[in-house]
Each structure stands twice: as C-alpha cells, then as structure tokens.
Amino acid sequence: MDRSLATRTQEARLHIDLAMRLSPLDPLHYAMQGTRAFTHMSVGEDVEAAEWADRAARSPGSHVLIAMIAAVANVLKHDPVRAAFWAQNVRERNSTLTSEDFGRAFPMKSDAMRVRVQQALAQLGFSSRA
C-alpha cells in the first residue's frame, strides 16, 4: 500500500492490477481492492475510490478497516447515506476504532490526503482518543 499512500498512483495501480489478475482468488483480494481505492482518493477521483472501496468492503472476510476506507471514500464522494452505512458497519464490528487507528494502519505520506481522510473520519464521528 505504500506506493499508493506515497502518491505514486500510476505505478501503484499497475502493481495492484497485476496482483489482482495474478491472484483473483486470493483471500486478501479485498485488501488489493482497498489499496486501489486509496490510489483514487489520493488524486481526488472520489467516485472511483468509493466504487473500489465498496467492492472491497463487501468482499467475504473483509477486514473492518476496509469498511472504514469505504466510509471515508463515500464521505469524499458526497454520499452521506452510503458513508453512514459503512460507518455503522465499522461500529458494529469494532466500536473502539478511531482515526488514530486508521492512521496507524494506513500511514499516509501526503499531507493533503491525510487531512482529507482525517476530516472525513471526524465527520463520521471517528475522533481520536482523548
């Protein structure tokens, strides 16, 4: 995920797409889709980001943090209903997750992207621990 978080989106997409083609039945396929969502978020392609994130979060066995990506992506897409759906999914699966947890799981090197994501998480009520 480092390539997409470091804003090397075109290179990251090539690697992610290749990985998905080479391993379409990989049990962590949802993580590749979530990473693909991040590449779109990093360049402001919010509709595409939400599509990839939703697909990833709906995948069997998808990690709760992938649902957080979907919640963020849908905030950025300006789809509050879908964002609320994924935020509720996150809370049902792990009510203690915060924006700090998200930041540790997905360390973003781009300050602009980190701000966008943190603002979306705050809008969804995933504030930092006090």
Side-chain angles (χ1 to χ4, degrees):
M1 181 156 312
D2 185 52
R3 281 180 170 50
S4 67
L5 301 181
T7 67
R8 294 168 50 190
T9 57
Q10 288 306 103
E11 182 182 352
R13 285 182 193 170
L14 291 173
H15 290 280
I16 295 162
D17 290 348
L18 177 61
M20 288 190 289
R21 280 193 310 275
L22 291 174
S23 190
L25 301 178
D26 192 310
L28 297 178
H29 200 262
Y30 65 82
M32 293 180 244
Q33 294 171 323
T35 302
R36 186 71 147 88
F38 260 112
T39 69
H40 289 285
M41 278 193 279
S42 71
V43 293
E45 297 170 350
D46 299 328
V47 171
E48 294 86 349
E51 290 170 0
W52 280 100
D54 285 351
R55 188 178 308 149
R58 286 191 312 265
S59 296
S62 177
H63 193 278
V64 66
L65 287 169
I66 300 298
M68 266 182 119
I69 294 172
V72 167
N74 280 285
V75 166
L76 298 176
K77 179 187 165 192
H78 304 290
D79 186 342
V81 173
R82 198 82 184 135
F85 170 83
W86 287 118
Q88 182 60 33
N89 178 279
V90 170
R91 288 185 179 94
E92 288 171 1
R93 294 167 66 189
N94 185 339
S95 62
T96 66
L97 285 177
T98 67
S99 60
E100 289 174 343
D101 298 317
F102 191 89
R104 274 192 300 280
F106 306 113
M108 293 162 268
K109 295 181 181 182
S110 164
D111 290 336
M113 185 169 171
R114 188 173 32 258
V115 167
R116 287 183 83 213
V117 168
Q118 291 299 319
Q119 287 175 343
L121 289 167
Q123 186 176 331
L124 292 165
F126 291 109
S127 54
S128 299
R129 290 182 185 94

